[in-house]
Amino acid sequence: RYKGDDKSYKTTSKYRDLHIPVQYAVIVDESHPFGLYSAMSFTAIILAAGKGTRMNSALPKPLHRVGGHAMLAWSMDAARLAGAERIVTVLAPGSEDIQDWLDGAPFAIQEDQLGTGNAVASAREAVGNEDGVAIVMFADTPLVSAASLKQLADGVKAGAGIVIAGFRPDDPSGYGRLVEDADGTISRIVEDRECSPAERAIGLCNGGIMAVSRSSLFTWLDRVTNDNAKGEYYLTDIVAIAQADGAAVRHAVIDETEVMGVNDRRDLAVAEAALQARLREAAMEAGVTMIAPETVFLSADAVIERDVIIEPHVVIGAGCHIGEGSIIHAFSHLEGARLGACCVIGPYARLRPGTEAANGVKIGNFVEVKKARLGDGAKASHLTYLGDAEIGAGANVGAGTITCNYDGFGKYRTLIGEGAFIGSNSSLVAPVSIGAGAIIGAGSTITSDVEADSIAVERGETRHKPGGAARFRSLKTKAKQRGT
Ligand code: UD1
Ligand code: MG
């Protein structure tokens, strides 16, 4: 590949944009249907140092997205919403992509991947051993809710040494089993490969997430050995150690979808489906009509107001806000678009980041909009590209209009005044400004500013040849008969 010029750099950066998810950002807040505010504070330790081999990807597993956001962002968000005061992510050496993505958020490095217990131990300095609660989470378990984390943390606050997220999957194979005492406390966790036949029959499994008394966590971990089938330091071994110390180990049964782990692309799709089901339900509860909800894809941060109608096969990407009473017709794709009330979008519209529509805006079929603001009641009904543009209220942009915003070097703006009328198939060569109320004749290529209320038309004269069509046909017919 040709290196060292702007173009090769751009190719790389495009590749990066495609694959490195948006920075950790708050996906949901207290007002979001998934939101839950809690004053309880704890430290979250998110394990993300595993190799993720089965993803078969150049992108680290924690940065793969569900609902448009990195799995790690989901874990961090759930922790934050449950009241985490500090979130420490445990990473492997050479994880610069994730470190960049964390953008200053705390992390610890696990030098060698010696097991989940060793991974938590690597966070010792970053976490400390003061009183309080630590919750261990996995970066590949994106669907855990803040409510469940809070439930686990509450159990430790109430006096338990450890509270484990238990679940009862249809097929428990592969998971650690929770061995219960007669009084319902947990005496130990047995990993699948170490289970006796009787233990293998236990249906109650370790979901992987646990809340632990922070002042005991690292002393218990110090006593964990790697004398087991995998030769690893298992986090789960602290359960028997805590029990021997006289600490109570309890569990809370958590919904299976919340603890589902993503190990390969199939799991990723299953997690996406589960999350989409949640998002659609939340939207419908908030008063959104979806004709075929199973065909609509929503980024988790989408804000969709009441009485919006979403037709089948619509994708609402990150950063969208759709105002009350708007309708999104079938096969439209929106990303970073903010729409006011009663807008009509599509079918087959593409709204790219920076689209801002006021109220009652119409963006019709095969219209692409990018970094453009449209005033109240502005219309672009068919086959148009509006990029880097400002379109005044009530303006009408005719079919096939193109804002020519790019000359191969820079991007330039097009301004269209209020109530202007842009005739079909016009090219507006930016930078250019069309005054309020101006009319552009169809087929014009406009290269200079047009005054308000004037008409601008730029096209060749139409030549008329009376009888010409008949003469043309007769010439052609004769030539064909001669075989020439
Ligand atoms: C773990 C639990 C098991 C539980 C299951 C739930 C242990 C020993 N077992 O098994 O009881 O039922 O999760 O899904 O804890 N990681 C590191 N460093 C390491 C090893 C792992 O950071 O050295 C991270 C991984 O990136 C991953 C998480 O820890 O996010 C879990 O590791 P994984 O190997 O998937 O554990 P399981 O065998 O699934
Ligand atoms: Mg796992």
Side-chain angles (χ1 to χ4, degrees):
R1 192 174 84 223
Y2 181 17
K3 282 200 176 114
D5 71 354
D6 278 346
K7 271 207 174 115
S8 76
Y9 166 73
K10 269 190 186 153
T11 316
T12 323
S13 78
K14 256 186 201 156
Y15 177 79
R16 286 181 66 90
D17 283 348
L18 195 69
H19 289 277
I20 304 293
V22 281
Q23 215 71 32
Y24 169 58
V26 172
I27 303 164
V28 295
D29 61 18
E30 294 76 41
S31 64
H32 191 278
F34 299 173
L36 172 92
Y37 177 73
S38 152
M40 120 137 13
S41 74
F42 60 88
T43 299
I45 305 168
I46 303 181
L47 306 191
K51 293 189 195 73
T53 324
R54 282 172 287 166
M55 293 300 284
N56 194 6
S57 176
L59 183 72
K61 181 161 84 170
L63 300 188
H64 279 266
R65 302 182 200 204
V66 285
H69 296 270
M71 290 199 277
L72 180 54
W74 282 102
S75 300
M76 293 176 82
D77 234 32
R80 193 188 54 80
L81 280 169
E85 50 172 9
R86 189 169 169 75
I87 301 173
V88 178
T89 305
V90 177
L91 302 174
S95 54
E96 283 76 19
D97 279 349
I98 308 183
Q99 291 172 28
D100 282 356
W101 182 90
L102 281 169
D103 199 25
F107 63 88
I109 298 289
Q110 183 192 18
E111 289 301 335
D112 299 294
Q113 279 49 75
L114 302 178
T116 49
N118 178 258
V120 175
S122 329
R124 183 190 300 253
E125 265 173 47
V127 172
N129 57 0
E130 300 92 69
D131 285 346
V133 181
I135 296 190
V136 179
M137 302 165 65
F138 296 164
D140 61 0
T141 308
L143 299 185
V144 66
S145 70
S148 296
L149 295 180
K150 186 175 180 303
Q151 195 185 347
L152 302 180
D154 281 341
V156 173
K157 291 237 155 143
I162 301 175
V163 183
I164 302 157
F167 73 118
R168 293 181 186 277
D170 293 336
D171 175 14
S173 58
Y175 292 110
R177 310 295 205 284
L178 304 188
V179 180
E180 281 179 282
D181 269 345
D183 64 354
T185 58
I186 305 296
S187 58
R188 59 205 184 91
I189 300 179
V190 196
E191 288 306 301
D192 189 57
R193 35 175 101 201
E194 267 113 352
C195 278
S196 66
E199 287 161 346
R200 187 154 288 128
I202 297 173
L204 184 60
C205 293
N206 174 21
I209 300 160
M210 56 174 84
V212 186
S213 155
R214 187 161 54 153
S215 54
S216 309
L217 172 63
F218 295 104
T219 56
W220 288 336
L221 279 171
D222 283 340
R223 287 152 63 187
V224 169
T225 68
N226 63 351
D227 180 17
N228 54 47
K230 280 172 98 179
E232 287 189 352
Y233 295 87
Y234 292 163
L235 170 66
T236 44
D237 281 355
I238 66 169
V239 169
I241 294 167
Q243 168 94 353
D245 267 5
V249 181
R250 306 191 186 284
H251 76 282
V253 174
I254 305 292
D255 186 71
E256 187 177 347
T257 53
E258 287 197 29
V259 289
M260 81 149 285
V262 173
N263 293 312
D264 57 27
R265 309 273 182 158
R266 263 183 300 266
D267 296 340
L268 190 66
V270 172
E272 183 73 53
L275 181 68
Q276 287 299 328
R278 273 197 210 171
L279 292 170
R280 293 168 191 138
E281 242 160 68
M284 289 188 280
E285 254 161 51
V288 175
T289 292
M290 290 189 211
I291 294 162
E294 67 284 3
T295 67
V296 173
F297 289 82
L298 301 170
S299 175
D301 62 348
V303 179
I304 308 174
E305 291 183 17
R306 228 160 48 142
D307 291 322
V308 166
I309 297 175
I310 303 181
E311 287 189 352
H313 300 287
V314 166
V315 176
I316 313 262
C320 289
H321 184 127
I322 302 174
E324 194 166 338
S326 292
I327 176 159
I328 315 295
H329 288 296
F331 299 104
S332 294
H333 189 281
L334 287 68
E335 231 181 328
R338 306 185 65 82
L339 311 178
C342 300
C343 291
V344 179
I345 308 299
Y348 298 99
R350 173 153 189 228
L351 308 189
R352 291 169 53 199
T355 298
E356 279 181 47
N359 302 321
V361 168
K362 182 173 182 209
I363 298 172
N365 41 243
F366 306 107
V367 174
E368 175 180 342
V369 183
K370 181 215 74 166
K371 278 195 193 155
R373 216 184 344 223
L374 292 94
D376 286 339
K379 281 191 182 122
S381 298
H382 342 257
L383 299 155
T384 285
Y385 173 61
L386 299 172
D388 303 303
E390 184 109 25
I391 291 105
N396 188 323
V397 178
T401 297
I402 305 290
T403 54
C404 309
N405 62 327
Y406 184 51
D407 59 4
F409 295 91
K411 299 265 165 73
Y412 310 95
R413 292 178 62 74
T414 299
L415 307 176
I416 298 176
E418 286 188 11
F421 182 96
I422 313 296
S424 298
N425 199 29
S426 294
S427 301
L428 308 177
V429 182
V432 71
S433 150
I434 313 296
I439 295 175
I440 306 298
S444 298
T445 298
I446 301 297
T447 54
S448 54
D449 291 353
V450 176
E451 269 177 39
D453 286 322
S454 75
I455 291 182
V457 57
E458 190 273 355
R459 62 169 85 115
E461 291 286 311
T462 307
R463 292 195 292 149
H464 297 267
K465 297 184 184 175
R471 286 197 297 280
F472 176 81
R473 277 192 290 268
S474 115
L475 275 171
K476 285 289 180 189
T477 311
K478 278 178 195 152
K480 203 170 181 182
Q481 281 160 357
R482 283 198 308 270
T484 55

